[in-house]
Amino acid sequence: MWHTDRLHRSPRELEEYVELCERLGVVTQTVKAGELDLATPSGRAVARTLGAWARFEVEHKSERTRRAQLQAAEAGKFLGGGRPFGWQRRDDGSATIDRREARELRRAADDLLAGASLGSIVADLNKRGVTTSTGRPWNYTSLRQVLSRPRNAGISTYQGQIVGESAWPALLTEDTWRSVVALLADPGRRRSTSNRVRWLMAGLALCGVCGEPMRSATVASNRARGTIRTVYRCPTPGVGHVARAAPPLDEYIGAIVVERLKRPDILDALTAQSGTDTTELRAERVALRARQNEAAETFADGGISAGQLARISTRLTKRLEAIEAELAAATRSTAISELAGPRAAELWKRAPIDRRRAVIAELLTATVLPSGKRGREFDPDLIRIEWR
């Protein structure tokens, strides 16, 4: 070998090599350090000593690398890797916004907040020929990763922790980015990687007997002719639970929602739903983060104990999480309100089904009451609407 430190840099690996050489009488030759006789105690001691120093150099180099990366992250610099979607890198390491890609990212974020599924956004991007920064088609994982990046909001992180502001220009507002992250992390969010929902009220209409969400199903309409129709039915087994034809229910709910969206007070109603003064919440968020930093500095100076720091951090973190949830709800309401106004009917027809479903979930609860008769025509009086 060239030198002993090129043999092994892990003490465990070195011991395996020593055992093998001792058993077989192997002599190790180096260009720089001469012969290394691992068959003798002195030769093994030299090898172990040199191996320990080699290990030290590896760990010391890794520490310097981590420190340099942390300093770069705190300065908002890019830590390397492929070109991120949304920017173009300059030779000096700085970046400019790629207008086309940034527009697509903002559109994807807005669609997600307005109720679109990741699967439907992926399908739309691929259909329009929009590729990732590496020129590949989008998939569920790649879109989720891109939308979740803190750098989108001008935030620099290191090992998952926020350490400063990014030197690269932001593509999204911090509120929008945090709302997207909160939405993607919501355990109640449907995890399907495709856009399989084809009926407007599937999973939204509730059974008037037990309150369970109703599912869409196909049933035979005319066995002789082989025709079928789609209905909503309660998934709970037993007699007496509700079933109703899907098309007229969808048409009825869509019509009343459009009328609601046309009303001038709809924007105020959407804002009131979140119960949020976003200006005050943003100011409180800044203040809480400052208090977190102050507590950390006080602990570092010995002013408080680790237990006190933990209690302070827990309380501040809980409040910050509550603020993020309120801001996320306000951002979603803002995205949904884009369908409101005099053109609501036109915008409703053009909107994808997942966005229409999100509006319905935001505005009302629809309960389908039992009719008492089979084959009865659709009756709006058997639909109980509760506005949120």
Side-chain angles (χ1 to χ4, degrees):
M1 77 201 74
W2 180 254
H3 195 276
T4 52
D5 62 4
R6 301 295 178 91
L7 177 61
H8 293 293
R9 295 193 175 188
S10 166
R12 184 184 298 110
E13 292 179 352
L14 177 62
E15 289 302 324
E16 293 176 357
Y17 184 71
V18 167
E19 181 183 354
L20 184 63
C21 291
E22 184 180 10
R23 179 158 47 88
L24 299 178
V26 175
V27 176
T28 302
Q29 296 286 350
T30 71
V31 174
K32 288 293 186 180
E35 180 181 305
L36 190 64
D37 187 0
L38 299 179
T40 65
S42 59
R44 292 193 293 272
V46 169
R48 287 169 179 143
T49 301
L50 294 174
W53 280 106
R55 182 67 178 180
F56 166 77
E57 288 296 333
V58 170
E59 293 177 352
H60 189 51
K61 182 179 180 181
S62 297
E63 184 181 0
R64 290 197 305 268
T65 301
R66 286 194 298 269
R67 191 182 305 117
Q69 288 181 332
L70 175 58
Q71 290 175 346
E74 290 174 337
K77 296 180 180 179
F78 183 58
L79 298 183
R83 179 184 71 82
F85 185 85
W87 294 276
Q88 292 294 335
R89 294 179 59 189
R90 297 192 183 102
D91 294 337
D92 62 0
S94 62
T96 58
I97 293 177
D98 185 306
R99 294 181 181 276
R100 184 185 66 85
E101 291 184 352
R103 184 168 59 250
E104 293 293 347
L105 188 140
R106 294 185 188 112
R107 175 176 175 176
D110 289 343
D111 287 347
L112 188 72
L113 292 173
S117 65
L118 281 175
S120 67
I121 299 173
V122 166
D124 176 65
L125 289 169
N126 291 334
K127 181 180 179 180
R128 293 187 291 108
V130 180
T131 62
T132 66
S133 60
T134 59
R136 298 177 180 176
W138 290 92
N139 58 44
Y140 182 87
T141 301
S142 61
L143 180 60
R144 186 186 185 94
Q145 290 174 342
V146 166
L147 288 173
S148 301
R149 294 177 313 194
R151 191 174 296 275
N152 293 342
I155 296 173
S156 180
T157 60
Y158 180 71
Q159 294 185 347
Q161 300 296 318
I162 295 176
V163 295
E165 296 182 0
S166 173
W168 287 16
L171 305 180
L172 303 173
T173 66
E174 184 174 346
D175 283 348
T176 299
W177 171 74
R178 289 187 178 277
S179 297
V180 167
V181 172
L183 187 63
L184 292 175
D186 183 1
R189 178 176 170 80
R190 184 168 61 91
R191 298 296 182 181
S192 171
T193 59
S194 63
N195 186 26
R196 297 178 181 175
V197 177
R198 292 184 173 86
W199 292 93
L200 188 64
M201 295 302 294
L204 296 179
L206 303 181
C207 172
V209 175
C210 65
E212 284 294 312
M214 300 175 68
R215 301 174 183 172
S216 61
T218 54
V219 296
S221 177
N222 187 313
R223 295 185 181 278
R225 297 179 181 177
T227 57
I228 60 174
R229 63 192 180 100
T230 301
V231 299
Y232 295 124
R233 58 170 47 158
C234 177
T236 304
V239 179
H241 291 274
V242 175
R244 201 63 42 89
L249 178 59
D250 284 358
E251 184 177 351
Y252 173 69
I253 297 296
I256 63 173
V257 168
V258 167
E259 290 303 314
R260 182 72 181 91
L261 291 172
K262 288 180 179 180
R263 288 173 52 178
D265 64 337
I266 183 63
L267 297 180
D268 294 335
L270 285 171
T271 302
Q273 283 176 26
S274 63
T276 301
D277 183 337
T278 56
T279 302
E280 288 188 5
L281 284 177
R282 293 190 190 99
E284 185 181 358
R285 183 172 64 185
V286 172
L288 290 173
R289 289 176 181 168
R291 289 174 60 188
Q292 283 182 322
N293 293 333
E294 290 172 5
E297 291 176 3
T298 303
F299 169 72
D301 294 338
I304 59 175
S305 66
Q308 289 173 319
L309 176 63
R311 288 194 293 273
I312 293 171
S313 297
T314 299
R315 291 180 62 183
L316 295 179
T317 300
K318 282 185 177 179
R319 179 54 188 155
L320 278 170
E321 289 175 349
I323 289 174
E324 300 298 353
E326 290 186 63
L327 287 172
T331 305
R332 286 197 293 271
S333 294
T334 301
I336 292 171
S337 67
E338 294 176 358
L339 297 182
R343 299 176 56 234
E346 175 189 349
L347 296 173
W348 182 261
K349 290 180 180 179
R350 291 166 48 189
I353 189 170
D354 39 19
R355 175 169 288 198
R356 284 180 276 158
R357 285 169 53 83
V359 172
I360 292 170
E362 192 84 8
L363 293 181
L364 60 83
T365 299
T367 302
V368 181
L369 305 176
S371 65
K373 294 182 180 180
R374 294 179 61 88
R376 183 172 180 174
E377 294 294 328
F378 179 77
D379 184 354
D381 292 337
L382 295 177
I383 310 299
R384 184 173 69 233
I385 302 297
E386 298 173 88
W387 295 99
R388 297 183 185 275

